[in-house]
Amino acid sequence: FLLGGLVWFAVPFSLATALGLACVALDLPVTVDEASAGLVPPAVAVHFLGKSGGVLITVMLFMAIVSTGSAEQIAVSSLVSYD
């Protein structure tokens, strides 16, 4: 379980590194405040894919949040039913 959690960290770190480097390489007009707010991935996606890039980033974020909420609900229901 712990090894799976550690391996999973490679996905967001590599995505953030690739999109951050793409933003710098493409010299996109992203301010420090926007970068601090986490708006680099949408900026790069919109630059590459247009409006559909922004939609895809939104869908990816939605799916990550729903997956996290689902896992938390399953954990709580397991605790309630077994304890």
PDB file of all heavy atoms in Angstrom, residues 42-75:
ATOM      1  N   PRO A  42      -3.380  24.975 -16.863  1.00  0.00           N
ATOM      2  CA  PRO A  42      -4.405  25.423 -17.812  1.00  0.00           C
ATOM      3  C   PRO A  42      -3.853  26.338 -18.904  1.00  0.00           C
ATOM      4  O   PRO A  42      -4.291  26.261 -20.049  1.00  0.00           O
ATOM      5  CB  PRO A  42      -5.420  26.172 -16.944  1.00  0.00           C
ATOM      6  CG  PRO A  42      -5.199  25.700 -15.578  1.00  0.00           C
ATOM      7  CD  PRO A  42      -3.758  25.322 -15.487  1.00  0.00           C
ATOM      8  N   ALA A  43      -2.878  27.175 -18.550  1.00  0.00           N
ATOM      9  CA  ALA A  43      -2.307  28.078 -19.556  1.00  0.00           C
ATOM     10  C   ALA A  43      -1.598  27.296 -20.653  1.00  0.00           C
ATOM     11  O   ALA A  43      -1.746  27.599 -21.842  1.00  0.00           O
ATOM     12  CB  ALA A  43      -1.336  29.056 -18.890  1.00  0.00           C
ATOM     13  N   VAL A  44      -0.834  26.281 -20.274  1.00  0.00           N
ATOM     14  CA  VAL A  44      -0.129  25.461 -21.268  1.00  0.00           C
ATOM     15  C   VAL A  44      -1.128  24.648 -22.089  1.00  0.00           C
ATOM     16  O   VAL A  44      -1.003  24.546 -23.319  1.00  0.00           O
ATOM     17  CB  VAL A  44       0.904  24.549 -20.573  1.00  0.00           C
ATOM     18  CG1 VAL A  44       1.512  23.581 -21.553  1.00  0.00           C
ATOM     19  CG2 VAL A  44       1.985  25.381 -19.910  1.00  0.00           C
ATOM     20  N   ALA A  45      -2.138  24.086 -21.432  1.00  0.00           N
ATOM     21  CA  ALA A  45      -3.137  23.284 -22.153  1.00  0.00           C
ATOM     22  C   ALA A  45      -3.917  24.136 -23.144  1.00  0.00           C
ATOM     23  O   ALA A  45      -4.179  23.703 -24.269  1.00  0.00           O
ATOM     24  CB  ALA A  45      -4.088  22.619 -21.160  1.00  0.00           C
ATOM     25  N   VAL A  46      -4.265  25.341 -22.751  1.00  0.00           N
ATOM     26  CA  VAL A  46      -4.982  26.236 -23.665  1.00  0.00           C
ATOM     27  C   VAL A  46      -4.073  26.656 -24.812  1.00  0.00           C
ATOM     28  O   VAL A  46      -4.517  26.778 -25.959  1.00  0.00           O
ATOM     29  CB  VAL A  46      -5.541  27.461 -22.897  1.00  0.00           C
ATOM     30  CG1 VAL A  46      -6.006  28.545 -23.839  1.00  0.00           C
ATOM     31  CG2 VAL A  46      -6.678  27.031 -21.994  1.00  0.00           C
ATOM     32  N   HIS A  47      -2.804  26.841 -24.534  1.00  0.00           N
ATOM     33  CA  HIS A  47      -1.871  27.209 -25.602  1.00  0.00           C
ATOM     34  C   HIS A  47      -1.751  26.077 -26.628  1.00  0.00           C
ATOM     35  O   HIS A  47      -1.733  26.328 -27.832  1.00  0.00           O
ATOM     36  CB  HIS A  47      -0.496  27.539 -25.021  1.00  0.00           C
ATOM     37  CG  HIS A  47       0.521  27.899 -26.049  1.00  0.00           C
ATOM     38  ND1 HIS A  47       0.535  29.121 -26.668  1.00  0.00           N
ATOM     39  CD2 HIS A  47       1.534  27.186 -26.595  1.00  0.00           C
ATOM     40  CE1 HIS A  47       1.517  29.160 -27.547  1.00  0.00           C
ATOM     41  NE2 HIS A  47       2.145  27.992 -27.512  1.00  0.00           N
ATOM     42  N   PHE A  48      -1.660  24.837 -26.178  1.00  0.00           N
ATOM     43  CA  PHE A  48      -1.497  23.707 -27.083  1.00  0.00           C
ATOM     44  C   PHE A  48      -2.792  23.285 -27.768  1.00  0.00           C
ATOM     45  O   PHE A  48      -2.813  22.987 -28.953  1.00  0.00           O
ATOM     46  CB  PHE A  48      -0.918  22.499 -26.345  1.00  0.00           C
ATOM     47  CG  PHE A  48       0.562  22.571 -26.136  1.00  0.00           C
ATOM     48  CD1 PHE A  48       1.096  22.257 -24.903  1.00  0.00           C
ATOM     49  CD2 PHE A  48       1.410  22.936 -27.154  1.00  0.00           C
ATOM     50  CE1 PHE A  48       2.466  22.320 -24.697  1.00  0.00           C
ATOM     51  CE2 PHE A  48       2.782  23.003 -26.967  1.00  0.00           C
ATOM     52  CZ  PHE A  48       3.309  22.691 -25.733  1.00  0.00           C
ATOM     53  N   LEU A  49      -3.888  23.224 -27.004  1.00  0.00           N
ATOM     54  CA  LEU A  49      -5.124  22.628 -27.510  1.00  0.00           C
ATOM     55  C   LEU A  49      -6.276  23.608 -27.677  1.00  0.00           C
ATOM     56  O   LEU A  49      -7.386  23.193 -28.026  1.00  0.00           O
ATOM     57  CB  LEU A  49      -5.562  21.492 -26.582  1.00  0.00           C
ATOM     58  CG  LEU A  49      -4.553  20.358 -26.395  1.00  0.00           C
ATOM     59  CD1 LEU A  49      -5.014  19.423 -25.298  1.00  0.00           C
ATOM     60  CD2 LEU A  49      -4.353  19.613 -27.689  1.00  0.00           C
ATOM     61  N   GLY A  50      -6.061  24.862 -27.348  1.00  0.00           N
ATOM     62  CA  GLY A  50      -7.147  25.835 -27.451  1.00  0.00           C
ATOM     63  C   GLY A  50      -8.134  25.669 -26.304  1.00  0.00           C
ATOM     64  O   GLY A  50      -7.773  25.257 -25.201  1.00  0.00           O
ATOM     65  N   LYS A  51      -9.388  25.985 -26.583  1.00  0.00           N
ATOM     66  CA  LYS A  51     -10.417  25.910 -25.539  1.00  0.00           C
ATOM     67  C   LYS A  51     -10.587  24.498 -24.996  1.00  0.00           C
ATOM     68  O   LYS A  51     -10.878  24.308 -23.820  1.00  0.00           O
ATOM     69  CB  LYS A  51     -11.747  26.390 -26.104  1.00  0.00           C
ATOM     70  CG  LYS A  51     -12.232  27.658 -25.521  1.00  0.00           C
ATOM     71  CD  LYS A  51     -13.604  27.999 -26.056  1.00  0.00           C
ATOM     72  CE  LYS A  51     -14.119  29.215 -25.334  1.00  0.00           C
ATOM     73  NZ  LYS A  51     -15.391  29.665 -25.828  1.00  0.00           N
ATOM     74  N   SER A  52     -10.421  23.503 -25.865  1.00  0.00           N
ATOM     75  CA  SER A  52     -10.595  22.126 -25.402  1.00  0.00           C
ATOM     76  C   SER A  52      -9.514  21.733 -24.393  1.00  0.00           C
ATOM     77  O   SER A  52      -9.744  20.865 -23.552  1.00  0.00           O
ATOM     78  CB  SER A  52     -10.595  21.160 -26.583  1.00  0.00           C
ATOM     79  OG  SER A  52      -9.362  21.223 -27.273  1.00  0.00           O
ATOM     80  N   GLY A  53      -8.348  22.365 -24.432  1.00  0.00           N
ATOM     81  CA  GLY A  53      -7.318  22.107 -23.425  1.00  0.00           C
ATOM     82  C   GLY A  53      -7.770  22.535 -22.046  1.00  0.00           C
ATOM     83  O   GLY A  53      -7.539  21.833 -21.055  1.00  0.00           O
ATOM     84  N   GLY A  54      -8.420  23.690 -21.964  1.00  0.00           N
ATOM     85  CA  GLY A  54      -8.966  24.135 -20.683  1.00  0.00           C
ATOM     86  C   GLY A  54     -10.052  23.213 -20.177  1.00  0.00           C
ATOM     87  O   GLY A  54     -10.131  22.919 -18.979  1.00  0.00           O
ATOM     88  N   VAL A  55     -10.873  22.734 -21.094  1.00  0.00           N
ATOM     89  CA  VAL A  55     -11.933  21.789 -20.711  1.00  0.00           C
ATOM     90  C   VAL A  55     -11.316  20.487 -20.207  1.00  0.00           C
ATOM     91  O   VAL A  55     -11.765  19.921 -19.201  1.00  0.00           O
ATOM     92  CB  VAL A  55     -12.889  21.535 -21.897  1.00  0.00           C
ATOM     93  CG1 VAL A  55     -13.842  20.405 -21.596  1.00  0.00           C
ATOM     94  CG2 VAL A  55     -13.643  22.799 -22.247  1.00  0.00           C
ATOM     95  N   LEU A  56     -10.281  20.003 -20.894  1.00  0.00           N
ATOM     96  CA  LEU A  56      -9.635  18.758 -20.468  1.00  0.00           C
ATOM     97  C   LEU A  56      -8.976  18.893 -19.095  1.00  0.00           C
ATOM     98  O   LEU A  56      -9.051  17.968 -18.281  1.00  0.00           O
ATOM     99  CB  LEU A  56      -8.611  18.317 -21.511  1.00  0.00           C
ATOM    100  CG  LEU A  56      -9.194  17.801 -22.811  1.00  0.00           C
ATOM    101  CD1 LEU A  56      -8.087  17.535 -23.822  1.00  0.00           C
ATOM    102  CD2 LEU A  56     -10.012  16.554 -22.579  1.00  0.00           C
ATOM    103  N   ILE A  57      -8.356  20.019 -18.812  1.00  0.00           N
ATOM    104  CA  ILE A  57      -7.773  20.242 -17.485  1.00  0.00           C
ATOM    105  C   ILE A  57      -8.878  20.277 -16.431  1.00  0.00           C
ATOM    106  O   ILE A  57      -8.733  19.717 -15.339  1.00  0.00           O
ATOM    107  CB  ILE A  57      -6.942  21.547 -17.453  1.00  0.00           C
ATOM    108  CG1 ILE A  57      -5.672  21.387 -18.272  1.00  0.00           C
ATOM    109  CG2 ILE A  57      -6.614  21.964 -16.036  1.00  0.00           C
ATOM    110  CD1 ILE A  57      -4.623  20.487 -17.660  1.00  0.00           C
ATOM    111  N   THR A  58     -10.000  20.912 -16.747  1.00  0.00           N
ATOM    112  CA  THR A  58     -11.121  20.964 -15.806  1.00  0.00           C
ATOM    113  C   THR A  58     -11.681  19.568 -15.549  1.00  0.00           C
ATOM    114  O   THR A  58     -11.973  19.213 -14.394  1.00  0.00           O
ATOM    115  CB  THR A  58     -12.228  21.887 -16.353  1.00  0.00           C
ATOM    116  OG1 THR A  58     -11.668  23.169 -16.607  1.00  0.00           O
ATOM    117  CG2 THR A  58     -13.370  22.006 -15.375  1.00  0.00           C
ATOM    118  N   VAL A  59     -11.815  18.769 -16.597  1.00  0.00           N
ATOM    119  CA  VAL A  59     -12.311  17.399 -16.437  1.00  0.00           C
ATOM    120  C   VAL A  59     -11.329  16.582 -15.605  1.00  0.00           C
ATOM    121  O   VAL A  59     -11.735  15.811 -14.719  1.00  0.00           O
ATOM    122  CB  VAL A  59     -12.561  16.751 -17.815  1.00  0.00           C
ATOM    123  CG1 VAL A  59     -12.782  15.262 -17.699  1.00  0.00           C
ATOM    124  CG2 VAL A  59     -13.746  17.410 -18.489  1.00  0.00           C
ATOM    125  N   MET A  60     -10.024  16.735 -15.859  1.00  0.00           N
ATOM    126  CA  MET A  60      -9.021  16.002 -15.093  1.00  0.00           C
ATOM    127  C   MET A  60      -9.075  16.387 -13.609  1.00  0.00           C
ATOM    128  O   MET A  60      -9.021  15.524 -12.728  1.00  0.00           O
ATOM    129  CB  MET A  60      -7.623  16.288 -15.649  1.00  0.00           C
ATOM    130  CG  MET A  60      -6.539  15.480 -14.992  1.00  0.00           C
ATOM    131  SD  MET A  60      -4.931  15.752 -15.712  1.00  0.00           S
ATOM    132  CE  MET A  60      -4.581  17.414 -15.190  1.00  0.00           C
ATOM    133  N   LEU A  61      -9.215  17.672 -13.329  1.00  0.00           N
ATOM    134  CA  LEU A  61      -9.321  18.129 -11.943  1.00  0.00           C
ATOM    135  C   LEU A  61     -10.590  17.602 -11.283  1.00  0.00           C
ATOM    136  O   LEU A  61     -10.556  17.132 -10.140  1.00  0.00           O
ATOM    137  CB  LEU A  61      -9.289  19.654 -11.901  1.00  0.00           C
ATOM    138  CG  LEU A  61      -9.330  20.310 -10.541  1.00  0.00           C
ATOM    139  CD1 LEU A  61      -8.091  19.935  -9.741  1.00  0.00           C
ATOM    140  CD2 LEU A  61      -9.437  21.813 -10.679  1.00  0.00           C
ATOM    141  N   PHE A  62     -11.704  17.634 -12.007  1.00  0.00           N
ATOM    142  CA  PHE A  62     -12.964  17.118 -11.474  1.00  0.00           C
ATOM    143  C   PHE A  62     -12.847  15.635 -11.149  1.00  0.00           C
ATOM    144  O   PHE A  62     -13.291  15.175 -10.095  1.00  0.00           O
ATOM    145  CB  PHE A  62     -14.095  17.369 -12.476  1.00  0.00           C
ATOM    146  CG  PHE A  62     -15.395  16.737 -12.076  1.00  0.00           C
ATOM    147  CD1 PHE A  62     -16.175  17.303 -11.080  1.00  0.00           C
ATOM    148  CD2 PHE A  62     -15.837  15.579 -12.684  1.00  0.00           C
ATOM    149  CE1 PHE A  62     -17.369  16.730 -10.704  1.00  0.00           C
ATOM    150  CE2 PHE A  62     -17.028  14.988 -12.315  1.00  0.00           C
ATOM    151  CZ  PHE A  62     -17.797  15.571 -11.325  1.00  0.00           C
ATOM    152  N   MET A  63     -12.255  14.865 -12.063  1.00  0.00           N
ATOM    153  CA  MET A  63     -12.125  13.428 -11.833  1.00  0.00           C
ATOM    154  C   MET A  63     -11.216  13.137 -10.639  1.00  0.00           C
ATOM    155  O   MET A  63     -11.481  12.205  -9.869  1.00  0.00           O
ATOM    156  CB  MET A  63     -11.595  12.741 -13.090  1.00  0.00           C
ATOM    157  CG  MET A  63     -12.630  12.717 -14.182  1.00  0.00           C
ATOM    158  SD  MET A  63     -12.222  11.907 -15.743  1.00  0.00           S
ATOM    159  CE  MET A  63     -10.576  11.430 -15.665  1.00  0.00           C
ATOM    160  N   ALA A  64     -10.167  13.917 -10.452  1.00  0.00           N
ATOM    161  CA  ALA A  64      -9.287  13.712  -9.302  1.00  0.00           C
ATOM    162  C   ALA A  64     -10.013  14.001  -7.993  1.00  0.00           C
ATOM    163  O   ALA A  64      -9.881  13.257  -7.014  1.00  0.00           O
ATOM    164  CB  ALA A  64      -8.054  14.597  -9.430  1.00  0.00           C
ATOM    165  N   ILE A  65     -10.813  15.058  -7.978  1.00  0.00           N
ATOM    166  CA  ILE A  65     -11.549  15.414  -6.758  1.00  0.00           C
ATOM    167  C   ILE A  65     -12.616  14.373  -6.452  1.00  0.00           C
ATOM    168  O   ILE A  65     -12.792  13.951  -5.299  1.00  0.00           O
ATOM    169  CB  ILE A  65     -12.165  16.823  -6.897  1.00  0.00           C
ATOM    170  CG1 ILE A  65     -11.051  17.869  -6.923  1.00  0.00           C
ATOM    171  CG2 ILE A  65     -13.147  17.111  -5.774  1.00  0.00           C
ATOM    172  CD1 ILE A  65     -11.510  19.250  -7.299  1.00  0.00           C
ATOM    173  N   VAL A  66     -13.340  13.922  -7.461  1.00  0.00           N
ATOM    174  CA  VAL A  66     -14.392  12.916  -7.256  1.00  0.00           C
ATOM    175  C   VAL A  66     -13.781  11.595  -6.796  1.00  0.00           C
ATOM    176  O   VAL A  66     -14.324  10.917  -5.915  1.00  0.00           O
ATOM    177  CB  VAL A  66     -15.223  12.741  -8.544  1.00  0.00           C
ATOM    178  CG1 VAL A  66     -16.123  11.534  -8.459  1.00  0.00           C
ATOM    179  CG2 VAL A  66     -16.043  13.989  -8.795  1.00  0.00           C
ATOM    180  N   SER A  67     -12.640  11.226  -7.369  1.00  0.00           N
ATOM    181  CA  SER A  67     -11.972   9.986  -6.965  1.00  0.00           C
ATOM    182  C   SER A  67     -11.526  10.055  -5.510  1.00  0.00           C
ATOM    183  O   SER A  67     -11.678   9.083  -4.758  1.00  0.00           O
ATOM    184  CB  SER A  67     -10.773   9.738  -7.874  1.00  0.00           C
ATOM    185  OG  SER A  67     -10.020   8.658  -7.410  1.00  0.00           O
ATOM    186  N   THR A  68     -11.003  11.194  -5.104  1.00  0.00           N
ATOM    187  CA  THR A  68     -10.586  11.362  -3.709  1.00  0.00           C
ATOM    188  C   THR A  68     -11.777  11.291  -2.768  1.00  0.00           C
ATOM    189  O   THR A  68     -11.727  10.625  -1.727  1.00  0.00           O
ATOM    190  CB  THR A  68      -9.856  12.708  -3.534  1.00  0.00           C
ATOM    191  OG1 THR A  68      -8.749  12.748  -4.427  1.00  0.00           O
ATOM    192  CG2 THR A  68      -9.382  12.898  -2.119  1.00  0.00           C
ATOM    193  N   GLY A  69     -12.858  11.961  -3.126  1.00  0.00           N
ATOM    194  CA  GLY A  69     -14.061  11.902  -2.291  1.00  0.00           C
ATOM    195  C   GLY A  69     -14.633  10.501  -2.203  1.00  0.00           C
ATOM    196  O   GLY A  69     -15.084  10.068  -1.138  1.00  0.00           O
ATOM    197  N   SER A  70     -14.604   9.778  -3.306  1.00  0.00           N
ATOM    198  CA  SER A  70     -15.095   8.405  -3.310  1.00  0.00           C
ATOM    199  C   SER A  70     -14.262   7.515  -2.389  1.00  0.00           C
ATOM    200  O   SER A  70     -14.811   6.705  -1.631  1.00  0.00           O
ATOM    201  CB  SER A  70     -15.069   7.856  -4.730  1.00  0.00           C
ATOM    202  OG  SER A  70     -15.302   6.482  -4.741  1.00  0.00           O
ATOM    203  N   ALA A  71     -12.943   7.669  -2.456  1.00  0.00           N
ATOM    204  CA  ALA A  71     -12.073   6.868  -1.590  1.00  0.00           C
ATOM    205  C   ALA A  71     -12.315   7.179  -0.117  1.00  0.00           C
ATOM    206  O   ALA A  71     -12.317   6.267   0.727  1.00  0.00           O
ATOM    207  CB  ALA A  71     -10.611   7.123  -1.944  1.00  0.00           C
ATOM    208  N   GLU A  72     -12.548   8.443   0.194  1.00  0.00           N
ATOM    209  CA  GLU A  72     -12.828   8.814   1.585  1.00  0.00           C
ATOM    210  C   GLU A  72     -14.158   8.226   2.053  1.00  0.00           C
ATOM    211  O   GLU A  72     -14.273   7.750   3.183  1.00  0.00           O
ATOM    212  CB  GLU A  72     -12.843  10.337   1.736  1.00  0.00           C
ATOM    213  CG  GLU A  72     -11.492  10.985   1.541  1.00  0.00           C
ATOM    214  CD  GLU A  72     -10.500  10.584   2.592  1.00  0.00           C
ATOM    215  OE1 GLU A  72     -10.884  10.365   3.755  1.00  0.00           O
ATOM    216  OE2 GLU A  72      -9.298  10.504   2.255  1.00  0.00           O
ATOM    217  N   GLN A  73     -15.160   8.243   1.201  1.00  0.00           N
ATOM    218  CA  GLN A  73     -16.451   7.677   1.572  1.00  0.00           C
ATOM    219  C   GLN A  73     -16.368   6.166   1.761  1.00  0.00           C
ATOM    220  O   GLN A  73     -16.984   5.616   2.683  1.00  0.00           O
ATOM    221  CB  GLN A  73     -17.496   8.011   0.512  1.00  0.00           C
ATOM    222  CG  GLN A  73     -17.902   9.459   0.512  1.00  0.00           C
ATOM    223  CD  GLN A  73     -18.864   9.780  -0.606  1.00  0.00           C
ATOM    224  OE1 GLN A  73     -19.099   8.978  -1.506  1.00  0.00           O
ATOM    225  NE2 GLN A  73     -19.430  10.974  -0.559  1.00  0.00           N
ATOM    226  N   ILE A  74     -15.597   5.487   0.929  1.00  0.00           N
ATOM    227  CA  ILE A  74     -15.426   4.056   1.093  1.00  0.00           C
ATOM    228  C   ILE A  74     -14.686   3.741   2.391  1.00  0.00           C
ATOM    229  O   ILE A  74     -15.026   2.797   3.107  1.00  0.00           O
ATOM    230  CB  ILE A  74     -14.692   3.471  -0.124  1.00  0.00           C
ATOM    231  CG1 ILE A  74     -15.607   3.511  -1.338  1.00  0.00           C
ATOM    232  CG2 ILE A  74     -14.215   2.049   0.138  1.00  0.00           C
ATOM    233  CD1 ILE A  74     -14.910   3.177  -2.642  1.00  0.00           C
ATOM    234  N   ALA A  75     -13.688   4.565   2.716  1.00  0.00           N
ATOM    235  CA  ALA A  75     -12.945   4.359   3.965  1.00  0.00           C
ATOM    236  C   ALA A  75     -13.848   4.536   5.179  1.00  0.00           C
ATOM    237  O   ALA A  75     -13.822   3.735   6.119  1.00  0.00           O
ATOM    238  CB  ALA A  75     -11.770   5.324   4.034  1.00  0.00           C
TER     239      ALA A  75
END
